[in-house]
Amino acid sequence: MVNLNLHLQEIKNILKNIPDPEIPVINIVEMGIVRDVEFIDNELVVKITPTYSGCPAMKAIEDDIVSELKSNGIENISVQKIFTPAWSTDLLTDEAKRKLKEYGIAPPEGKAENEFYRDLITKPIECPYCNSRETKLTSQFGSTACKSLHYCNSCQQPFEHFKCI
Amino acid sequence: MNEIKNEIKADLFEYLLRLGDDRLILGHRLSEWCGHAPILEEDIALANIALDCIGQANAFLTLAAAVENNNRTEDDLAYFRDETEFKNLQLVEQPNIDFAYTITRQFFIDAFAVHLYDELSKSIVEDLSGIAAKALKEVKYHLRHSRQWVLRLGDGTEESHNKIQNAINDLWMFTGELFFENDVDKKLIQEGIIPSTKSVEQKWKEVIESALTEATLKIPDDSNTNLRSGRNGDHTEYLGHILAEMQIVARSHPGAKW
């Protein structure tokens, strides 16, 4: 049975305990993956959206949501995958961007509507370690589809960048 | 899902199979590069693009299954249909051969997908426009990747130039099929669900011509295009081999879960 006394905000707070499986320093709420939480006919519906269509973490995220909510006494749960509106890096909170940088991943720079498809060769990304712009693109695709690979000429560190989409 | 008229459901199902099968087969082909690409960055890039393709296939086939409403899932559609029931382009089933062939195949299909999905993102069927809008962001990155390699190989060494020119000459015959149109398309175009093939064709040609010219490559004659289409279930010998590998586990252990 769904505990109706739990407010949706409290449920969102519970979901904040779930880390992104690929980038565990940020949770799935600040990542913008959780799009909506609502009760429909006594069932708790959690709507999530993939960062990329082929994101292999989606199944793990679904399972994590169900088990985290169950361990908080919520039983009747369904997780729905939605595509509209498409996920964007604009959904990342400032706090999430700060955590990404601390983790060594250069966060998306600017708004997706302006910076999507940014030319990473002529507009270098800032190094998350030394803040230098003397960096170069080494690959448009990184360890996951959402990231690209870069190299910092100043501190000679390779690093990943979360692409604006 | 928003209401879809009964009389066009079969056509929409057929069209969604085309969209899904293109991505499924292409993704499977690309995945064959995993661990074999010429450099590490390309291994990662091709595997990522393959993953995007499989994810898009999943979304299109899930929607196809919902439209069909016949107790089949996206997995049933992927693993339990036979060769002649697959509606993908013959282009996407062509073997990898070498890096130049793979990049050429990818460039032809990326330029097509970008303009097709751009138009489909305006479809009146919301579930379709949502998937297309999402996929559009991804294929734009794919196109940038394949286009840059066309330039680098074409305008590179004599050997790289010859290799990609050969690939272009060989694969060109499969490009006419990109703009296949039959009654299914005509009905869906009329309903405002899909764009006209001609509008996509014009934009595709512009992308191809500008890149090949910049890469000092020759555009082959138009006359040489395939007459039998994968859209009708007619395939080259290569599809059967892909399906055998892709479907064997699901068919040997129906209903298995892990």
Side-chain angles (χ1 to χ4, degrees), chain A residues 143-161:
Chain A
S143 60
T144 58
C146 52
K147 287 173 274 171
S148 50
L149 292 175
H150 301 257
Y151 182 79
C152 177
N153 290 326
S154 298
C155 69
Q156 293 169 7
Q157 272 288 330
F159 66 91
E160 289 190 305
H161 160 60

Side-chain angles (χ1 to χ4, degrees), chain B residues 38-186:
Chain B
I39 50 172
L40 181 62
E41 285 79 5
E42 273 316 295
D43 208 294
I44 296 168
L46 293 174
N48 266 310
I49 294 167
L51 195 56
D52 282 343
C53 288
I54 302 291
Q56 293 157 6
N58 188 305
F60 285 131
L61 293 181
T62 302
L63 181 57
V67 170
E68 188 194 28
N69 195 18
N70 189 27
N71 235 353
R72 285 204 281 187
T73 67
E74 65 279 16
D75 284 345
D76 295 329
L77 293 174
Y79 297 124
F80 294 93
R81 276 182 301 147
D82 292 331
E83 191 183 344
T84 53
E85 295 169 275
F86 272 77
K87 300 297 161 70
N88 58 280
L89 297 162
Q90 293 181 356
L91 177 63
V92 297
E93 69 204 32
Q94 297 310 302
N96 290 332
I97 303 185
D98 63 17
F99 191 66
Y101 269 85
T102 299
I103 287 299
T104 302
R105 184 185 64 205
Q106 196 64 32
F107 176 56
F108 288 164
I109 200 81
D110 288 343
F112 171 68
V114 163
H115 292 298
L116 178 63
Y117 295 170
D118 188 24
E119 294 285 340
L120 285 176
S121 68
K122 300 165 206 155
S123 171
I124 55 162
V125 176
E126 283 168 25
D127 297 277
L128 175 57
S129 64
I131 298 169
K134 176 83 204 154
L136 177 61
K137 291 185 174 198
E138 295 157 1
V139 295
K140 278 190 172 176
Y141 275 105
H142 302 176
L143 177 61
R144 181 154 80 183
H145 170 261
S146 59
R147 189 181 191 278
Q148 280 177 357
W149 272 111
V150 167
L151 299 185
R152 207 178 294 179
L153 296 175
D155 199 13
T157 65
E158 196 184 335
E159 187 182 358
S160 71
H161 177 91
N162 290 341
K163 281 194 167 178
I164 195 158
Q165 185 68 61
N166 282 340
I168 291 164
N169 296 347
D170 281 359
L171 291 174
W172 191 255
M173 65 176 284
F174 296 106
T175 58
E177 195 190 3
L178 294 168
F179 313 106
F180 175 92
E181 202 178 283
N182 68 4
D183 284 349
V184 169
D185 303 79
K186 289 188 186 114

Side-chain angles (χ1 to χ4, degrees), chain B residues 16-40:
Chain B
L16 289 167
L17 286 183
R18 295 179 190 173
L19 293 174
D21 290 348
D22 278 353
R23 303 323 275 179
L24 180 64
I25 301 303
L26 181 63
H28 195 80
R29 268 284 179 246
L30 286 171
S31 74
E32 293 168 1
W33 275 109
C34 193
H36 299 276
I39 50 172
L40 181 62

